[in-house]
Amino acid sequence: MISNYRDSFNAGFTAEKYQSFIKGLEAGFSEIPFRVAETPVFIPADLAAKLVDAGEEIISLIRQPDFKELTKDAIPAEWQVPGENKHPHFLTFDFGVCRDEEGQLTPMLIEMQGFPSLYGFQAHMANNYITAYGLSDNLTPFFNGFDEVSYISLLKEVILGPHKPEEVALMDIDALEQKTAIDFFATQKYLGIKILGLTDIFKEGKSLYYMEGTEKIRLKRIYNRLIFDEIADKTALFKNSFDPREELDIEWVTHPNWFYRISKYTMPFLKSKFVPDTHFLNELEQIPDDLENYVLKPLFSFAGMGVIIDVKQSDIHGVQDPENWILQRKVTYEPAVQSPDGKVKVEVRLMYLWPDGGEPQLCINLVRLSRGKMIGVRYNKDFDWVGGTIGLMNK
């Protein structure tokens, strides 16, 4: 979008440079199982400023004294986890890049989560884009004056807290088999923490442990990457590990309840020029006449699963649990990035860190490029110049 960088990048792009970039990205790690885009996105200052403003508006809602009361029904009763802290450690907001009425690029909120994203991989990716393509050293993926050193320092503060790296573990079910394992490895490289699957952890009394060879090591904190809804039919695993819904002597970063509180559930409470009109389906007084301009979303779905784009009245009438669905006005993405053979749609994820006793800080970003009907790797399998990437801005 910054035209001089875009023009220069496209003029110098070759498939060989892209393959060299991917090789460098994977060096020391395993093969990346998702598509990484050929290019970063060069975010202009005016769009970056709007993204910052949009994020601040959302945070102001989250910081309201009544936010927990407002979102108490967001957490499914069967997944209530005790020991919730005062605030999430991570905030991620996804914005589609659109055009406003004046024709200017502007962000529109698509999704939001109080859950970690690829905080390790994105820093690693930015370095590799800049190195592989010989980009200007005036470009940065960081906001608010952060650089790699200060960013990793804050990431350590948030994830490790006062504990030693061996007392903290990144946890997911079958962690090393996840598509996002590259982020787990990058995080481990930066922080020195363990990567554990759910069943690598066992309980004695109220404490959690894992084995390092023949040594039993007590966990003090879990960097949680496990979405509990995804193991709803696999809770037998808890018998060989631990049940997170029990009272445990463990710190969560971030606590699982925040995944539900800060989600699509929160969007109907937001009123902003950066947020599309959104309603809980069970509170909808009248079905809009222009239903073709809306999308129907389940509250607790992942990676676009279950979303109905071309909504009909029969779809709305057919929903059995309307309290778990939202009707949201469609966002029209602007194809804003010029590829060698056409323009590409853009979605920007703002990624915040919120240390204990501190303030939420916008640090880095994640960008997804799309030519398909929906953003996301599964909807863009047959295209190039699409996939995961990062936004670079002038320092």
Side-chain angles (χ1 to χ4, degrees):
M1 298 179 219
I2 303 178
S3 58
N4 60 318
Y5 289 131
R6 173 52 55 209
D7 293 344
S8 175
F9 184 95
N10 287 15
F13 176 80
T14 64
E16 290 74 23
K17 285 183 181 179
Y18 176 59
Q19 291 306 318
S20 176
F21 160 67
I22 294 295
K23 186 176 180 180
L25 201 60
E26 294 177 338
F29 302 118
S30 57
E31 182 178 338
I32 299 171
F34 55 85
R35 195 174 202 286
V36 177
E38 284 80 348
T39 179
V41 171
F42 304 108
I43 299 177
D46 55 347
L47 179 58
K50 290 175 184 176
L51 285 162
V52 171
D53 289 345
E56 287 300 315
E57 288 188 13
I58 299 169
I59 288 174
S60 66
L61 172 71
I62 295 168
R63 301 192 69 164
Q64 286 181 188
D66 65 343
F67 183 74
K68 283 196 174 185
E69 176 63 23
L70 201 66
T71 57
K72 61 182 174 59
D73 294 331
I75 308 166
E78 65 272 23
W79 289 112
Q80 284 272 358
V81 174
E84 184 180 324
N85 58 338
K86 293 181 179 179
H87 62 74
H89 296 92
F90 308 95
L91 293 169
T92 65
F93 307 146
D94 291 352
F95 294 92
V97 175
C98 309
R99 292 273 182 200
D100 63 18
E101 293 178 354
E102 286 74 43
Q104 302 300 308
L105 294 178
T106 193
M108 289 294 288
L109 184 66
I110 305 298
E111 299 273 1
M112 53 194 294
Q113 287 188 331
F115 192 76
S117 186
L118 308 186
Y119 283 86
F121 182 61
Q122 290 306 109
H124 172 66
M125 177 191 281
N127 284 336
N128 278 271
Y129 270 123
I130 291 169
T131 301
Y133 289 105
L135 302 179
S136 169
D137 59 9
N138 192 50
L139 288 168
T140 179
F142 300 106
F143 292 86
N144 293 325
F146 279 97
D147 58 20
E148 185 175 14
V149 172
S150 58
Y151 170 68
I152 297 302
S153 176
L154 182 59
L155 192 65
K156 285 181 178 179
E157 179 184 348
V158 169
I159 294 177
L160 297 181
H163 306 298
K164 299 174 184 177
E166 63 268 23
E167 296 173 329
V168 181
L170 185 157
M171 183 192 76
D172 201 341
I173 184 173
D174 299 327
L176 301 183
E177 303 302 317
Q178 297 295 315
K179 286 188 175 181
T180 52
I182 183 77
D183 176 65
F184 300 174
F185 292 127
T187 301
Q188 183 180 56
K189 181 179 177 181
Y190 285 129
L191 307 186
I193 62 177
K194 293 292 296 184
I195 301 171
L196 299 177
L198 178 64
T199 54
D200 294 326
I201 301 170
F202 60 94
K203 180 170 73 81
E204 292 184 2
K206 291 187 176 182
S207 298
L208 300 181
Y209 298 87
Y210 69 95
M211 298 300 297
E212 186 68 65
T214 59
E215 183 181 2
K216 182 173 71 174
I217 298 177
R218 184 183 167 193
L219 278 175
K220 303 289 184 66
R221 177 177 277 207
I222 290 176
Y223 176 31
N224 182 47
R225 303 297 292 268
L226 174 62
I227 297 172
F228 293 139
D229 273 13
E230 294 183 341
I231 57 167
D233 59 348
K234 301 176 183 177
T235 53
L237 293 169
F238 295 161
K239 294 178 181 178
N240 299 317
S241 182
F242 70 99
D243 190 331
R245 297 164 295 188
E246 296 177 357
E247 290 281 354
L248 297 167
D249 188 7
I250 194 73
E251 296 173 6
W252 294 95
V253 53
T254 193
H255 192 282
N257 290 357
W258 287 106
F259 172 80
Y260 296 103
R261 290 189 183 278
I262 300 172
S263 63
K264 288 188 284 289
Y265 187 94
T266 314
M267 292 185 66
F269 301 112
L270 292 164
K271 306 301 176 188
S272 165
K273 65 181 180 180
F274 301 118
V275 180
D277 188 35
T278 307
H279 303 273
F280 291 113
L281 198 58
N282 65 321
E283 296 181 1
L284 190 67
E285 296 181 357
Q286 182 177 348
I287 296 176
D289 293 332
D290 58 339
L291 200 54
E292 69 277 7
N293 293 321
Y294 286 81
V295 60
L296 189 61
K297 296 182 178 182
L299 285 175
F300 308 116
S301 68
F302 315 106
M305 299 298 289
V307 173
I308 301 174
I309 298 177
D310 300 313
V311 187
K312 304 177 181 63
Q313 288 203 15
S314 58
D315 295 319
I316 293 176
H317 293 311
V319 172
Q320 300 299 310
D321 55 342
E323 70 280 4
N324 291 325
W325 290 74
I326 56 172
L327 188 68
Q328 182 182 86
R329 192 163 190 85
K330 284 181 180 177
V331 167
T332 302
Y333 288 78
E334 174 68 17
V337 168
Q338 180 67 57
S339 79
D341 62 345
K343 291 198 171 183
V344 184
K345 294 179 284 189
V346 185
E347 189 171 284
V348 180
R349 173 173 295 173
L350 300 184
M351 297 165 59
Y352 297 75
L353 293 171
W354 196 340
D356 292 324
E359 299 294 322
Q361 298 185 57
L362 175 57
C363 299
I364 197 168
N365 72 87
L366 180 155
V367 172
R368 291 183 291 182
L369 298 180
S370 173
R371 298 181 194 244
K373 197 167 187 178
M374 290 179 67
I375 296 285
V377 174
R378 74 178 69 215
Y379 307 104
N380 288 270
K381 289 181 180 178
D382 300 322
F383 302 108
D384 60 4
W385 284 64
V386 299
T389 181
I390 196 159
L392 299 176
M393 301 162 282
N394 279 315
K395 293 179 181 177

